[in-house]
Amino acid sequence: MSSYWGADIGGTSTKLGRIDGREFEMVAVLPTPADSPPRALLQRLTEEILDYDSHPEGLGVGVAGLVEIERGLLLTSPNMPAWVNVPVRETLRSLLSCPIVVHNDANTFAYGAVARKEIPSEGVWLLITLGTGIGGTIVHDGRIIFGKGFAGEFGHMSVKAHGLPCPCGSKGCWERYASKDAIISYYREISGTDDQPDPREIADRARRGEQPAIEAFDRLGYWIGVGLANLGWCFSPHGFVLAGGLAPNLDLFESSCRETYRQRCPLDLDISRLKLASDAGALGAALLVRDEDQ
Ligand SMILES: [Zn+2]
């Protein structure tokens, strides 16, 4: 039986699933080899699909990086250095004869979250992914706002006009102050050690009552609050939904984040955390191509 397929290409693994009738099922998890050419992975992906389904109805792909949607072109990827200017859709089209859409992985993830009812399908909701960088998606009445293609890249909103340089070419980008590297540098600065604990370890130390770790999360919360206040003014959203590696530490940074927001923006602040299964990106990718095709 033919199906709509969804692939979620991440820095370490690529998840592949399909919608068969009304049900979504995961089919395979492939490694994403950091050093091999992108074409090899895309070829492997299509072989896997064709093994199950000789006439797929469509393939949606979410990939970690800046994606030009119209052409299905991946410009750069923070976690996959070999993936620069990769014509993902054109390559897949040469291997599969079905509709193919390519999106940023935060957007496919958000679309999966709406389908799973973790993001409400009414109102304006901003999904903020706090991890190595900061990703984002604008969801309006269950649909994603793409703008000309790159809407939601909140991590590169400048929060300090002459701040730290960012690989994107700008200065003072939000993600330089409210990401995994930021919490590590705050901890090192406050504790005065050369210790290099990862954010999870810093969180454990904060929960055990270690003062420098608590203060590092307070400072992180301040910067998250600065960014959320800017977004509050811009979108007046019904709520912010946090995801990514730092989101489970919301309890550690929520009070300083709320305090900062309150000082800068009088609008309501609704923050929640996404608790999705890891297949949401592949599900969202399959739904995006299905909904575009129908
Ligand atoms: Zn930037």
Side-chain angles (χ1 to χ4, degrees):
M1 187 183 170
S2 57
S3 313
Y4 286 98
W5 289 78
D8 181 15
I9 302 178
T12 52
S13 69
T14 294
K15 302 180 182 84
L16 178 67
R18 65 174 177 167
I19 300 172
D20 198 358
R22 292 180 65 84
E23 297 296 314
F24 174 77
E25 63 165 354
M26 282 298 289
V27 172
V29 180
L30 312 170
T32 307
D35 42 358
S36 74
R39 191 184 167 86
L41 176 72
L42 298 176
Q43 196 150 5
R44 175 80 206 283
L45 208 56
T46 55
E47 284 164 8
E48 199 76 37
I49 293 170
L50 292 169
D51 266 356
Y52 280 82
D53 186 352
S54 51
H55 297 288
E57 288 188 80
L59 169 62
V61 177
V63 59
L66 267 183
V67 177
E68 198 182 281
I69 301 170
E70 294 246 311
R71 290 191 287 166
L73 179 72
L74 177 71
L75 301 177
T76 56
S77 174
N79 302 319
M80 301 185 288
W83 293 62
V84 179
N85 291 326
V86 182
V88 177
R89 188 166 67 178
E90 200 182 297
T91 307
L92 289 167
R93 267 199 180 146
S94 69
L95 301 164
L96 282 178
S97 53
C98 64
I100 290 163
V101 298
V102 183
H103 289 278
N104 167 270
D105 65 342
N107 290 338
T108 53
F109 188 73
Y111 210 59
V114 173
R116 293 248 163 93
K117 301 193 186 327
E118 289 227 24
I119 295 179
S121 54
E122 284 180 4
V124 175
W125 297 84
L126 302 183
L127 173 68
I128 314 280
T129 310
L130 299 167
T132 310
I134 298 181
T137 303
I138 306 157
V139 181
H140 179 215
D141 287 349
R143 302 187 70 83
I144 293 169
I145 306 294
F146 296 110
K148 281 177 76 179
F150 302 107
E153 290 288 349
F154 304 133
H156 298 290
M157 164 175 72
S158 189
V159 291
K160 217 176 181 184
H162 301 287
L164 295 168
C166 179
C168 78
S170 184
K171 283 180 186 165
C173 291
W174 190 26
E175 68 176 35
R176 307 299 300 152
Y177 297 89
S179 61
K180 283 186 175 176
D181 285 353
I183 181 77
I184 295 169
S185 77
Y186 299 151
Y187 178 78
R188 292 186 63 185
E189 191 190 320
I190 294 165
S191 66
T193 64
D194 286 336
D195 217 5
Q196 273 279 28
D198 64 18
R200 195 173 299 181
E201 173 62 24
I202 300 171
D204 286 346
R205 292 180 189 185
R207 290 199 178 89
R208 289 198 299 266
E210 193 196 290
Q211 201 55 32
I214 292 169
E215 283 175 32
F217 271 102
D218 279 347
R219 196 181 294 183
L220 180 81
Y222 164 81
W223 283 110
I224 293 174
V226 169
L228 294 189
N230 288 345
L231 295 172
W233 282 116
C234 291
F235 293 95
S236 180
H238 291 80
F240 294 97
V241 183
L242 305 186
L246 289 174
N249 304 313
L250 177 61
D251 59 318
L252 295 172
F253 62 73
E254 185 168 1
S255 77
S256 65
C257 171
R258 284 188 177 277
E259 176 66 16
T260 308
Y261 185 95
R262 202 180 50 76
Q263 289 165 356
R264 289 163 181 256
C265 179
L267 307 175
D268 281 350
L269 175 62
D270 179 311
I271 308 179
S272 57
R273 261 181 60 204
L274 206 60
K275 299 175 195 74
L276 271 184
S278 62
D279 62 355
L283 164 66
L287 289 172
L288 272 166
V289 69
R290 186 196 70 180
D291 293 350
E292 219 164 87
D293 195 35
Q294 286 176 347

